Amino acid sequence: MKIAVYTGSFDPITVGHLNVIQRSSRLTERLIVGVGINVQKSELFTPEERCELIRESIANLPNVEIRTFQGLAVDFVRQCDSNVMIRGVRPLTDIDAEFTMTSANRQLAPEIETVFLMSDPSFSHVSSSLIKQIAHLADDEQLAKFLPQPIIQRVRERLNARRQQASG
């Protein structure tokens, strides 16, 4: 594989995402991480900020590029001149949704192959949603089990600012 594409919202990037990026970067000459822009979602970080958090987390991976995109992931994969989409799969409950998405993608873009990387078992419970729930309760050492070390402080600051806004 010359170019593979890994898409997601990465709001924020987790150690699980980072694990998939690291492993994918070893399978291909170039990995493009596509940060999806979904205007219907309430975001913690802007797409540009998410790209920066990913850059800080993958500084040691020279063959990884980060871009934002809107619209269908298969269209983005095509724009990247690739025919390989990487998907990280956590617990078995992800399989059903991933199978549905892959079937739809095959109808939309039969030339694009989806490659699934099973999550490392130690990351199977990690999600951006979980981080948003526990970050204000966990110390930095505990958060490092969920977030890449370089971004812990920025995530904590953003979540604290959100909590302060919500409380008035």
Side-chain angles (χ1 to χ4, degrees), residues 7 9 13 24 48 55 64 67 76 82 102 106 109 117 124 134-135 138-139 143 155 161 164:
T7 62
S9 59
I13 184 172
S24 298
E48 295 75 22
R55 277 188 199 91
V64 179
R67 299 182 193 173
F76 178 67
S82 179
T102 299
R106 298 274 308 151
L117 291 182
S124 64
I134 68 165
D139 62 29
L143 268 184
V155 171
Q164 288 176 355

Side-chain angles (χ1 to χ4, degrees), residues 11-35:
D11 191 29
I13 184 172
T14 69
V15 292
H17 295 132
L18 183 58
N19 179 260
V20 171
I21 292 169
Q22 291 166 334
R23 291 166 51 210
S24 298
S25 73
R26 293 191 303 258
L27 298 175
T28 184
E29 289 179 31
R30 191 164 115 218
L31 176 67
I32 299 172
V33 176
V35 176

Side-chain angles (χ1 to χ4, degrees), residues 116-164:
F116 292 101
L117 291 182
M118 295 302 295
S119 172
D120 184 295
S122 63
F123 304 130
S124 64
H125 63 288
V126 178
S127 70
S128 296
S129 301
L130 177 65
I131 289 165
K132 292 169 188 171
Q133 292 173 353
I134 68 165
H136 67 282
L137 301 171
D139 62 29
D140 286 358
E141 186 178 324
Q142 292 168 320
L143 268 184
K145 295 176 182 174
F146 301 90
L147 290 169
Q149 189 68 42
I151 71 166
I152 289 173
Q153 196 55 42
R154 290 195 43 210
V155 171
R156 186 180 294 290
E157 288 167 3
R158 181 62 51 93
L159 287 169
N160 285 340
R162 273 251 172 113
R163 286 183 67 218
Q164 288 176 355

